Amino acid sequence: MAAIRPSAETPAERVADAQALPPRIVFGRPALGQEEIDEVVDALRSGWIGTGPRVRAFEKMFADYVGARHAVALNSCTAGLHLALLTLDLAPDDEVIVPAMTFAATASAVIHAHGRPVLADVRRDTMCLDPTAAAAQVTPRTRALVAVHFAGRPCELDRLEEIRLGRGLRLLEDCAHAVESTVDGRHCGTFGDFASFSFHATKNVTTGDGGMLVTDDEDAAEAILRLAQHGLSNDAWSRTANGGPGAYDVAVPGFKYRMTDIQAAIGIHQLARVEHNLPQREQIHRWYDEAFADLPVVLVPAAAPGARHARHLYTLLLDLEHLDVDRDAVRRELSDEGIGTGVHYRAIHLEPFLRDRFGYARGDFPAAEWISDRTLSLPLSPGLSSGDVRRVVRAVRLVLRRHTR
Ligand SMILES: *Cc1c(COP(=O)(O)O)cnc(C)c1O
């Protein structure tokens, strides 16, 4: 271990100091290869680091991979959710149904698009939107449903489709966990009107941060692209590629939401490896399931027949009735053992930004709360060695055994 210098001076020294920590198994460690490093270096040396040819290539690859007609690379999944919802032209009282168990951004995007997020409970076993609960929240003001393929497990898309068709609603898929997810061979993200994918640092495909909006609707894709580049009709790369200083017009006030070529340089090689990585994620899942079967935990069941789970998260659900500590104490003790974990998520109706504004309270969404109190995500990355997995297993067994009652 490098000694920590009294004062780090250069950037390299600062990084070295930050790394001079006890060896830990980090939650969500990305699996980056030499190809990503070389491509980033090539992008840096190319003289074009903004949105350009590598972004174009990544969009094409991504659209082909999931089987969508259009893909727009963005700087986050949240940006994609925001822009997709903006194309719906929501009036202030228009409602969008969002699961109570998801990341905050799924609901924030609705608020930023001027709508009202109306939460619905999830199923305990799948952690995905419960179609019965969603149908019960539909009112004459409902405009759309957001399906989150939680942890990578496809939602019950056929049942959501019935709700939506009967009432003329739009379907937005939050595919942040679901790059590899399929139903009967068809990729999640191609069932709804739009889907937004995340390439945040811990996601199965990462670009550091980034996102991809996919849709088959050409007009929507064009509108979203324009909104993502300041409302400009034409980006800098196409103006340059078309032989010089081309013109653009600004028809709408836009946002700065595009991906850069530095990010796309990473994404191209991440995506190329995603199918190769999935069996490793599945293997780690199986090892964990086997190793924890006799502990006071609830193991999450397999995906439905015909559905492929992307294995983004391994969520351990603590059987609190047979433990003498809560989830946060288990997390702390695992951290003391050098194991980083995550919580996906605290039920969002209990977060102040929704609770205080829309009057939600504990008891409103029992399944989301049940998960929220018990869930703990363990490291799951193709970058983990079998030794790393054994360390996680040993630590989880040690901590849970210590507290079994
Ligand atoms: C990560 C995540 C997001 C946000 O993705 P960003 O790329 O960070 O904007 C949205 N929804 C879910 C379910 C997520 O896990």
Side-chain angles (χ1 to χ4, degrees), residues 75-81 101-106 148-151 174-177 196-203 209-212 312-313 344-345:
N75 56 15
S76 72
C77 167
T78 307
L81 297 171
M101 175 49 57
T102 182
F103 183 53
T106 318
V148 179
H149 303 293
F150 200 93
D174 178 336
C175 286
H177 302 174
S196 193
F197 292 83
S198 175
F199 310 132
H200 168 67
T202 66
K203 299 284 159 64
D209 249 324
M212 191 75 79
H312 171 56
L313 298 174
H344 301 90
Y345 299 90

Side-chain angles (χ1 to χ4, degrees), residues 29-50:
R29 183 198 167 117
L32 296 163
Q34 191 60 41
E35 294 92 339
E36 283 89 327
I37 295 168
D38 292 343
E39 193 76 40
V40 167
V41 171
D42 286 350
L44 292 174
R45 292 211 166 105
S46 73
W48 194 282
I49 60 173

Side-chain angles (χ1 to χ4, degrees), residues 216-286:
D216 281 349
D217 179 337
E218 183 165 359
D219 293 341
E222 242 170 58
I224 285 166
L225 177 60
R226 188 185 265 254
L227 283 170
Q229 56 196 25
H230 300 288
L232 270 58
S233 55
N234 219 338
D235 73 7
W237 176 251
S238 28
R239 297 197 305 271
T240 306
N242 291 339
Y248 58 77
D249 63 66
V250 188
V252 289
F255 300 87
K256 181 65 188 285
Y257 277 175
R258 283 289 260 165
M259 182 180 279
T260 69
D261 267 24
I262 300 175
Q263 293 166 302
I266 305 172
I268 287 165
H269 296 284
Q270 285 276 293
L271 185 61
R273 223 182 287 116
V274 76
E275 287 293 318
H276 169 78
N277 287 341
L278 187 58
Q280 281 168 267
R281 292 181 173 278
E282 287 167 342
Q283 174 71 263
I284 296 171
H285 250 252
R286 273 195 301 276

Side-chain angles (χ1 to χ4, degrees), residues 308-321:
R308 185 168 81 162
H309 189 315
R311 314 282 175 176
H312 171 56
L313 298 174
Y314 185 91
T315 51
L316 200 60
L317 292 163
L318 303 179
D319 176 3
L320 296 180
E321 289 67 33

